[in-house]
Amino acid sequence: MIKFSINKTAFQNALKITKQAIGSKVTIPALTKLKIEVEEKGITLIGSNGQISIKNFLPADNKDASMLISGTGSVLLEAAFFENVVSQLPEVTLEFIEKEQKQVLLTSGKSEITLKGLDSEIYPHLQEISEGSSLKMKVKVLKEIFTETVFAVSTQENRPIFTGVHLETLSTGELKAVATDSHRMSQRLLPLEDTDLKFDVILPSKSINSFKNVFTNDEEEIEIFISGSQMLFQNETISYYSRLIEGSYPDTNRLIPNEADYTLDLVFDAAQLRHTMDRARLLTVMTTNGTVKLTVSGDSVVTTANSPEVGSVHEELTALSKEGNDLSISFNPEYLIDALKVIKAPEVRIRFISNVRPFTLQPRNEESGFVQLITPVRTN
Amino acid sequence: MIKFSINKTAFQNALKITKQAIGSKVTIPALTKLKIEVEEKGITLIGSNGQISIKNFLPADNKDASMLISGTGSVLLEAAFFENVVSQLPEVTLEFIEKEQKQVLLTSGKSEITLKGLDSEIYPHLQEISEGSSLKMKVKVLKEIFTETVFAVSTQENRPIFTGVHLETLSTGELKAVATDSHRMSQRLLPLEDTDLKFDVILPSKSINSFKNVFTNDEEEIEIFISGSQMLFQNETISYYSRLIEGSYPDTNRLIPNEADYTLDLVFDAAQLRHTMDRARLLTVMTTNGTVKLTVSGDSVVTTANSPEVGSVHEELTALSKEGNDLSISFNPEYLIDALKVIKAPEVRIRFISNVRPFTLQPRNEESGFVQLITPVRTN
């Protein structure tokens, strides 16, 4: 039967990571539980919501954990409750002892808490990925391409493939990450180091959003494996599994305009443009389908937005450079704000074809790898 | 017609205070508006939700506001929207110009925003208090007695008098503040400086909760006036009106036990007791009407809580002093936690009569002015 003592903070930190995969809204009741597996070599904390699964291993020789294992076994505990109990324990060390009928006695200082556990036999078997080709990437780089694309996924469940980010290894040796909700698109290309792993998958946006809470060391390198319907991100102690979205993603390259088609090329200070859009948005959110109009005429660039209920905004913008024809185009300022949020460069280049064709945004001077597309709104 | 320019930050801060009184859930549509009154001597920002009203005056010579008034008048603007617009303006200065048909043009840098306003004639007349006897108090002291009592008000609207804090000037020259929800009571006595103002009123808990956001300078002295169904808190620029709850508050003094009746007197470290209750609460919240049991037997003080669903907790407590008989008593740990939160003293004195009579809590060594009562739960 399980018996171990451990540093409370180290145990709490490990629980916090595994808990990312455990939801309260699951259809299989066993999935609200945390599975604790204790072996002589260490403790594994396992959680899953059916979509994401996390195995987090705390090795017996981890120096922060001051672990002493004197009995092995496995048990299921109510995850959220167990995490709360551990966080409230009074002393730096806690002792975990399995009693008869899967009861667990937690002792810390003068506090003794008895928890009802369940037999781990009832926990569903988690599909695992047998070793194979892998791709190594820095956590920071993965987080960057996720941030640059995931905001553009669709929130509508009727076309599931658009609720994830498409990740594809190209024959050019690059990784392509792309997301679109049909109103806007964000695509990032990233040169990869040599790898045998080839893939063409759709990773759910929810898995991407919890990724950053699981892998918190940006400088760390992690390994990526793929098998059938699962993607695995792994470091020395954490295995983070995500199911993939089934279906084939459309070719988004054909959406990106040909260089020759652009008729207007503008460069803005990204922060200034963002603030102008924030002001326009104050009015457009008061109106259904509210749009901002950008009017380029000679050297003048003006944005206007109008809400019949509350008023109007009129603002002159300074273009850092302008080449091409005059244009007047309307669009949802929300999309431009979202796009600017993920552009870290101080200047942004925006190119237009016509007032009914999507326009493109790129960070100025880093134009090859990252491109975003926004579809205008036709107005009268 | 109104015309002025003003420092954006100073104007924003003034708006923020007035906005405390403006709610979106009001039955009179005019009350979602902010009333702006511009006179030569300065600008008054007025807001009300029918329960609370705030008049905030920005004098023309306020040195932070860099105000320049060149036209006077009054207008109503949509409060939440106007505050958002002002906060997003690009420059440090904004210009406010009233146009025909109550339209307002706000200009800041290259940004021009036109807002639809309304005639201030439709704004309801706010009852005002004509000068009379007043009481002067430091903001910090008022906030303290509010904090010490307001948590104990009832949230049930069926007996409105218990949803407020009872404030009464006593013949002893003290101010009494008391709140109770019939499960617990918190009462604070405060010696007052000489004043002619005598009152016996019930101030709604909502007015107390927004008080701290309106008067942010703890060191400031404010003046309190009362007239009929209204209470007014006032400093040099802000008038904060609250309606009072009608009805007469029961005599709570008779609830406080006689010294002679106590059979057990315990002193605890307040932080230690609070943490023990936090752990007990983890289990009691999982059970309907969950209680913690405190068992005093000889030198031993033990708390236990039990939830049939999730487990149990057993903890030894250290009493710093103990006088009196043994006792075993059950109560809702939530009430003890709330009580301990407002006791700033490091040690707390708890006195008991029997396991079916309310027990009292007092900060040790400051026992005269502040007393709390908690009713136990009868268990088998």
Side-chain angles (χ1 to χ4, degrees):
Chain A
M1 296 218 287
I2 303 173
K3 185 172 180 188
F4 66 87
S5 67
I6 193 167
N7 174 279
K8 182 183 119 176
T9 310
F11 195 54
Q12 232 183 313
N13 290 342
L15 279 173
K16 212 167 131 188
I17 287 169
T18 302
K19 221 195 104 203
Q20 296 295 325
I22 307 177
S24 49
K25 291 182 203 149
V26 289
T27 45
I28 305 168
L31 292 184
T32 64
K33 314 296 179 198
L34 168 78
K35 183 176 175 187
I36 302 184
E37 266 179 15
V38 182
E39 300 161 287
E40 281 180 18
K41 64 178 181 180
I43 300 169
T44 310
L45 304 174
I46 298 161
S48 176
N49 61 13
Q51 307 293 311
I52 300 168
S53 307
I54 296 174
K55 279 192 166 193
N56 190 8
F57 178 66
L58 263 160
D61 58 3
N62 177 308
K63 59 182 192 302
D64 294 328
S66 313
M67 205 187 299
L68 196 70
I69 297 174
S70 41
T72 61
S74 69
V75 68
L76 300 184
L77 291 171
E78 193 61 41
F81 179 62
F82 181 64
E83 197 202 11
N84 283 339
V85 168
V86 169
S87 72
Q88 297 272 9
L89 290 175
E91 299 293 330
V92 291
T93 299
L94 69 95
E95 194 173 30
F96 183 113
I97 305 171
E98 183 187 346
K99 301 277 181 187
E100 65 284 353
Q101 292 178 317
K102 292 291 168 188
Q103 290 208 80
V104 167
L105 174 66
L106 283 182
T107 314
S108 179
K110 290 181 176 172
S111 182
E112 291 174 8
I113 302 182
T114 306
L115 304 173
K116 303 203 171 172
L118 288 172
D119 196 314
S120 63
E121 292 297 312
I122 68 159
Y123 200 75
H125 178 72
L126 302 179
Q127 193 200 324
E128 285 182 37
I129 293 176
S130 44
E131 305 280 306
S133 298
S134 77
L135 171 61
K136 283 187 181 159
M137 279 180 84
K138 226 180 179 180
V139 167
K140 191 176 168 175
V141 175
L142 257 176
K143 282 188 184 169
E144 249 170 42
I145 62 169
F146 285 162
T147 305
E148 286 167 347
T149 50
V150 72
F151 74 91
V153 301
S154 171
T155 52
Q156 315 226 303
E157 298 292 336
N158 57 345
R159 295 185 70 194
I161 57 165
F162 292 116
T163 64
V165 171
H166 181 219
L167 298 169
E168 185 184 1
T169 48
L170 304 180
S171 57
T172 55
E174 289 170 304
L175 172 66
K176 181 167 94 168
V178 62
T180 180
D181 63 0
S182 84
H183 301 292
R184 37 64 187 283
M185 183 188 93
S186 184
Q187 175 174 311
R188 170 70 189 236
L189 296 177
L190 184 85
L192 288 181
E193 286 170 37
D194 252 3
T195 169
D196 288 339
L197 186 68
K198 300 289 170 214
F199 53 84
D200 180 348
V201 299
I202 307 167
L203 187 61
S205 61
K206 282 180 188 164
S207 306
I208 289 175
N209 291 331
S210 49
F211 177 89
K212 65 177 184 298
N213 302 322
V214 173
F215 294 100
T216 52
N217 177 0
D218 279 359
E219 298 309 318
E220 185 179 59
E221 201 161 61
I222 57 173
E223 229 172 330
I224 302 172
F225 298 86
I226 287 172
S227 141
S229 61
Q230 296 254 89
M231 191 157 187
L232 164 63
F233 302 90
Q234 193 169 50
N235 69 11
E236 277 194 3
T237 57
I238 303 170
S239 300
Y240 179 74
Y241 291 88
S242 169
R243 98 182 150 86
L244 296 166
I245 298 172
E246 281 176 44
S248 78
Y249 207 82
D251 176 21
T252 51
N253 281 330
R254 60 177 181 76
L255 300 175
I256 297 172
N258 294 319
E259 294 283 323
D261 291 340
Y262 290 119
T263 61
L264 174 63
D265 184 336
L266 293 172
V267 174
F268 292 105
D269 178 277
Q272 197 206 13
L273 183 60
R274 164 99 185 264
H275 292 139
T276 299
M277 288 302 127
D278 283 338
R279 286 185 283 275
R281 198 181 72 130
L282 287 174
L283 281 108
T284 60
V285 293
M286 309 296 268
T287 315
T288 332
N289 297 322
T291 58
V292 60
K293 187 187 230 169
L294 182 83
T295 307
V296 182
S297 162
D299 284 340
S300 144
V301 180
V302 171
T303 59
T304 49
N306 187 44
S307 154
E309 295 83 16
V310 294
S312 60
V313 58
H314 175 278
E315 190 159 337
E316 270 178 57
L317 261 170
T318 312
L320 302 177
S321 95
K322 185 214 157 192
E323 271 176 53
N325 303 336
D326 290 353
L327 181 80
S328 178
I329 188 168
S330 294
F331 53 89
N332 182 337
E334 204 91 49
Y335 294 139
L336 187 49
I337 291 168
D338 286 348
L340 290 167
K341 276 183 190 168
V342 298
I343 291 181
K344 280 182 290 188
E347 294 173 4
V348 57
R349 183 180 185 191
I350 307 187
R351 289 186 289 175
F352 302 86
I353 298 170
S354 79
N355 63 356
V356 296
R357 298 278 299 278
F359 57 94
T360 58
L361 275 94
Q362 288 165 290
R364 194 191 196 184
N365 301 333
E366 307 169 35
E367 285 152 32
S368 60
F370 188 27
V371 61
Q372 299 190 62
L373 221 66
I374 294 174
T375 305
V377 175
R378 289 182 201 223
T379 56
N380 302 322
Chain B
M1 297 218 288
I2 303 174
K3 185 173 179 186
F4 66 88
S5 66
I6 192 165
N7 174 280
K8 182 183 118 176
T9 310
F11 195 54
Q12 232 181 313
N13 290 340
L15 278 173
K16 213 166 127 187
I17 287 170
T18 302
K19 221 196 104 202
Q20 296 295 326
I22 307 176
S24 50
K25 292 181 205 151
V26 289
T27 44
I28 305 168
L31 292 184
T32 65
K33 314 294 179 199
L34 168 79
K35 184 176 175 186
I36 302 183
E37 265 179 18
V38 181
E39 300 161 288
E40 279 180 22
K41 63 175 183 183
I43 301 169
T44 309
L45 303 175
I46 298 161
S48 176
N49 61 13
Q51 308 291 312
I52 300 168
S53 307
I54 295 174
K55 279 192 165 193
N56 190 9
F57 178 65
L58 263 161
D61 58 4
N62 176 309
K63 63 183 187 306
D64 295 327
S66 312
M67 206 186 299
L68 197 71
I69 297 173
S70 41
T72 61
S74 69
V75 68
L76 300 185
L77 291 171
E78 193 61 41
F81 178 63
F82 181 62
E83 197 201 12
N84 283 340
V85 168
V86 170
S87 71
Q88 298 271 9
L89 291 174
E91 299 293 330
V92 291
T93 300
L94 69 96
E95 194 173 32
F96 183 113
I97 304 169
E98 183 187 345
K99 300 277 180 185
E100 67 284 352
Q101 291 178 316
K102 292 291 169 187
Q103 290 208 83
V104 167
L105 173 66
L106 284 182
T107 314
S108 179
K110 288 181 177 173
S111 183
E112 291 174 6
I113 301 183
T114 306
L115 303 173
K116 303 204 170 169
L118 288 172
D119 197 313
S120 63
E121 292 297 312
I122 68 158
Y123 201 75
H125 179 72
L126 301 179
Q127 192 200 324
E128 283 181 40
I129 293 177
S130 45
E131 304 280 308
S133 298
S134 77
L135 171 62
K136 282 188 181 160
M137 280 180 83
K138 226 180 180 180
V139 167
K140 192 176 166 174
V141 174
L142 258 175
K143 282 187 185 171
E144 250 170 39
I145 63 169
F146 285 162
T147 305
E148 286 168 346
T149 51
V150 72
F151 73 92
V153 302
S154 171
T155 52
Q156 315 226 303
E157 298 290 338
N158 57 345
R159 295 185 68 193
I161 57 165
F162 292 116
T163 64
V165 171
H166 181 219
L167 298 168
E168 185 185 1
T169 47
L170 304 181
S171 55
T172 55
E174 288 170 304
L175 172 66
K176 181 167 93 168
V178 63
T180 180
D181 64 1
S182 84
H183 301 291
R184 33 78 184 278
M185 183 187 94
S186 184
Q187 176 174 309
R188 170 69 191 237
L189 295 177
L190 185 85
L192 288 181
E193 287 171 36
D194 253 3
T195 170
D196 288 339
L197 185 67
K198 301 288 169 217
F199 54 84
D200 179 349
V201 299
I202 307 167
L203 187 61
S205 62
K206 280 180 191 167
S207 305
I208 289 176
N209 291 330
S210 50
F211 178 89
K212 65 176 183 300
N213 302 323
V214 173
F215 294 99
T216 53
N217 178 0
D218 279 358
E219 299 309 317
E220 184 179 59
E221 201 161 60
I222 58 173
E223 229 171 332
I224 302 171
F225 297 87
I226 287 173
S227 141
S229 62
Q230 296 255 91
M231 190 157 189
L232 164 62
F233 301 90
Q234 194 168 49
N235 69 11
E236 277 195 2
T237 57
I238 303 170
S239 300
Y240 179 74
Y241 292 88
S242 169
R243 98 182 150 86
L244 295 166
I245 298 173
E246 280 177 44
S248 77
Y249 208 80
D251 176 20
T252 49
N253 281 329
R254 60 174 182 80
L255 300 175
I256 297 172
N258 293 320
E259 293 283 325
D261 292 340
Y262 290 119
T263 61
L264 174 62
D265 185 336
L266 293 171
V267 175
F268 292 104
D269 178 277
Q272 197 206 11
L273 183 61
R274 164 103 184 261
H275 292 139
T276 299
M277 288 302 128
D278 282 338
R279 284 186 284 274
R281 195 180 138 238
L282 287 174
L283 280 108
T284 61
V285 292
M286 308 295 268
T287 314
T288 334
N289 298 320
T291 58
V292 61
K293 185 187 231 171
L294 183 81
T295 307
V296 182
S297 161
D299 283 341
S300 143
V301 181
V302 170
T303 59
T304 48
N306 187 44
S307 155
E309 296 83 14
V310 295
S312 59
V313 60
H314 176 278
E315 190 158 335
E316 271 178 56
L317 262 170
T318 309
L320 301 177
S321 93
K322 183 213 158 191
E323 270 176 54
N325 304 335
D326 290 353
L327 180 81
S328 177
I329 188 169
S330 295
F331 53 89
N332 183 338
E334 204 92 51
Y335 294 139
L336 186 49
I337 292 167
D338 285 350
L340 290 167
K341 274 183 191 167
V342 297
I343 291 182
K344 278 183 289 185
E347 294 174 6
V348 58
R349 182 179 185 192
I350 308 187
R351 288 186 289 174
F352 302 86
I353 299 171
S354 79
N355 63 356
V356 295
R357 299 275 300 275
F359 56 93
T360 58
L361 273 95
Q362 288 166 290
R364 193 190 195 183
N365 301 333
E366 309 170 33
E367 286 153 30
S368 60
F370 187 27
V371 60
Q372 299 191 62
L373 222 65
I374 293 174
T375 305
V377 175
R378 289 185 203 220
T379 55
N380 301 322

